[in-house]
Amino acid sequence: MIEPRIPIDEEQRLEAVRSYDLLDTLPERDFDNLTLVTATVCDVPISLVTLVESDRNFLKSHYGIPFNESPRSTSFCGHAILDESCIFIVEDARKDPRFVDNPLVTEMNAIFYAGVRLVNSDGYPLGTLCVFDTKPRKLTSKQKKALIALAFQVVNLFEAKKRNRELMVIQNELKEKNEELKNFAGMVSHDMKMPLANMIITSDMLRSKYGQYLDDQGKQYLEYIKQSSFTLSEYITGMLEHYESDKTASLSEEIFDSQDLLEDIIELLNINYDCEINLPEENIEMKANRAALEQITLNLITNSLKYNDKETIVIDINCWKERGYYYFTVTDNGVGIEKEKLKSIFNLFETVGELDRYGKKGNGIGLSTVKKLVNKLGGDIEVTSEKGKGTTFKFYIKKMKKKTPKQLKEN
């Protein structure tokens, strides 16, 4: 018997093998399916996916034998990874000086062997896709081509699993960073709201107590401080809602009426100017995340009220269900949105540049939060508008399905 020699780039090759994190892992159906197909195509009793480690062969998939590793010193695969031909074949190991007294031959009756190297994108042979038989034999031309093709698929599977693992690591890191950012934004926002409230109260106190000593310009400066504090406070509130929208979207579903939802929102707005809000004629029983839907609809109606220059504000709301989804439209007769800005209106911090009916400019957070919530609820939102005539927002969310027994058990 001749032991397989060690490649000159063994250190780098072993590093490549270990980079796939497949050593000592449990069997996987994807690999077992490939060895089953390989054995069937080649008409052999044994088929293996091997990874050649420093002192052993780890069998990632083993069809036809009960163990998952063997010594490298006696392995056929140790020789196969050194052979740069398309396929390494030993038709009768009993007649081959490399294997004549090999324990695999003398004790396990491994007579025939054919293996294709599993070469990664950097050119390192990681192991083999190989087959064994207990009798001398040959492979047909079609079987050889099939074995080479299947080995290529094994390498593709290696690479796919490695990429998925790397992406999972990146995804987890991003989740952690995003959570840190959310916590930081929440903490800073909460800490800033109290000083801003103090600034608003202080400006009112200064005007009340010392207003008689201030000229018109001085009073105007106090008003600037107060209004700037209000603007920043609204900005912070919007940021908190945006970052907390994930929590809102994860709340459990409820059963409620669409009419009750919309009436509660209108009552909450406490509108004190000339406004006509037309609600849907049909009342729909809904099973959805009420808190999230309330925040979405409240934001859209509020925008229709704020960005409106008409003497009488008219808002038409429609709601219906269709094919497992709930649809809503909110249409107003407001200032409208320029056509070139419609595509970017849902981007965070994107504004249309218009001042609202109170002379304030938006912060570009509300509609981004709306889209985020709608997407989290399994839907989407779109907008159509005509400058000077009004805007229509149309969105849909997925109807909550009844939970399966498995989901109920998990809860």
Side-chain angles (χ1 to χ4, degrees), residues 32 62 99 106 108 110 122 201 218 305 339-340 344 363 407:
D32 291 345
H62 47 97
F99 308 107
T106 58
M108 295 187 60
D122 294 322
I201 293 170
L305 293 170
K339 187 175 181 180
E340 60 269 19
S344 61
N363 51 40
Q407 291 172 322

Side-chain angles (χ1 to χ4, degrees), residues 2 153 252 374:
I2 301 173
Q153 293 306 314
S252 59
V374 168

Side-chain angles (χ1 to χ4, degrees), residues 151-399:
F152 184 76
Q153 293 306 314
V154 172
V155 175
N156 282 345
L157 193 52
F158 281 178
E159 298 292 351
K161 287 188 172 292
K162 184 178 182 179
R163 284 194 298 272
N164 286 343
R165 193 183 71 253
E166 290 170 348
L167 287 172
M168 284 296 294
V169 170
I170 293 171
Q171 186 179 31
N172 289 334
E173 288 177 353
L174 288 174
K175 281 183 179 179
E176 290 177 7
K177 295 295 183 183
N178 193 41
E179 197 60 35
E180 289 176 6
L181 180 60
K182 285 182 180 180
N183 292 337
F184 176 75
M187 179 181 67
V188 171
S189 298
H190 281 297
D191 289 348
M192 288 178 68
K193 286 183 77 68
M194 184 57 72
L196 286 170
N198 289 337
M199 289 173 66
I200 293 168
I201 293 170
T202 301
S203 63
D204 283 340
M205 290 175 62
L206 286 171
R207 176 185 286 274
S208 174
K209 191 170 183 178
Y210 301 103
Q212 58 183 321
Y213 304 110
L214 297 173
D215 58 15
D216 290 342
Q217 189 173 25
K219 293 176 182 177
Q220 187 64 48
Y221 287 154
L222 282 178
E223 186 63 23
Y224 286 155
I225 292 173
K226 181 178 179 179
Q227 292 305 319
S228 296
S229 299
F230 271 125
T231 300
L232 188 53
S233 181
E234 289 173 3
Y235 182 87
I236 290 170
T237 299
M239 285 296 296
L240 285 172
E241 288 179 354
H242 184 80
Y243 281 114
E244 290 174 359
S245 59
D246 286 339
K247 295 178 183 177
T248 304
S250 66
L251 294 174
S252 59
E253 67 273 11
E254 303 175 40
I255 296 176
F256 55 93
D257 292 337
S258 59
Q259 206 78 5
D260 290 341
L261 172 77
L262 295 171
E263 287 174 357
D264 288 347
I265 290 171
I266 293 169
E267 185 177 348
L268 182 67
L269 287 168
N270 192 24
I271 303 168
N272 56 9
Y273 37 82
D274 194 2
C275 179
E276 177 185 320
I277 299 181
N278 301 309
L279 299 181
E281 293 182 4
E282 183 183 359
N283 185 30
I284 298 174
E285 184 181 81
M286 307 184 72
K287 186 177 183 183
N289 183 329
R290 176 169 178 145
L293 187 56
E294 187 174 87
Q295 187 173 342
I296 293 165
T297 314
L298 176 64
N299 195 300
L300 294 178
I301 296 174
T302 301
N303 272 6
S304 292
L305 293 170
K306 286 170 60 178
Y307 296 97
N308 200 302
D309 56 355
K310 306 301 187 295
E311 189 173 327
T312 300
I313 298 172
V314 179
I315 302 173
D316 296 318
I317 303 172
N318 201 2
C319 173
W320 70 95
K321 58 183 176 180
E322 182 180 331
R323 297 196 191 99
Y325 290 89
Y326 297 116
Y327 287 82
F328 285 81
T329 59
V330 179
T331 302
D332 63 53
N333 63 338
V335 297
I337 304 167
E338 293 178 4
K339 187 175 181 180
E340 60 269 19
K341 294 184 178 180
L342 290 176
K343 290 183 179 179
S344 61
I345 195 171
F346 296 109
N347 296 340
L348 186 61
F349 304 127
E350 190 75 34
T351 63
V352 297
E354 295 283 351
L355 299 179
D356 64 19
R357 65 188 298 111
Y358 307 108
K360 296 181 180 179
K361 187 178 179 181
N363 51 40
I365 301 174
L367 287 178
S368 173
T369 304
V370 164
K371 183 172 178 60
K372 188 177 179 183
L373 280 170
V374 168
N375 292 158
K376 288 281 186 181
L377 298 182
D380 205 354
I381 185 169
E382 60 184 32
V383 57
T384 56
S385 185
E386 188 174 351
K387 189 68 176 169
K389 292 188 176 181
T391 302
T392 296
F393 286 95
K394 179 182 178 181
F395 70 92
Y396 65 89
I397 63 171
K398 198 169 186 179
K399 181 180 179 182

Side-chain angles (χ1 to χ4, degrees), residues 31 33-50 61 63 77 80 85-91 112-119 127-133 137-156:
F31 291 105
N33 286 341
L34 285 169
T35 51
L36 170 61
V37 172
T38 302
T40 303
V41 168
C42 295
D43 191 22
V44 294
I46 298 171
S47 175
L48 312 171
V49 171
T50 73
S61 179
Y63 177 85
C77 297
S85 58
C86 293
I87 184 169
F88 179 79
I89 297 178
V90 180
E91 293 180 355
F112 171 81
Y113 173 89
V116 178
R117 299 192 308 164
L118 304 174
V119 181
T128 68
L129 173 65
C130 63
V131 294
F132 283 93
D133 205 342
R137 58 169 300 162
K138 297 178 183 290
L139 292 181
T140 67
S141 175
K142 286 185 177 180
Q143 287 173 327
K144 290 177 182 178
K145 289 180 180 178
L147 187 58
I148 292 168
L150 288 165
F152 184 76
Q153 293 306 314
V154 172
V155 175
N156 282 345

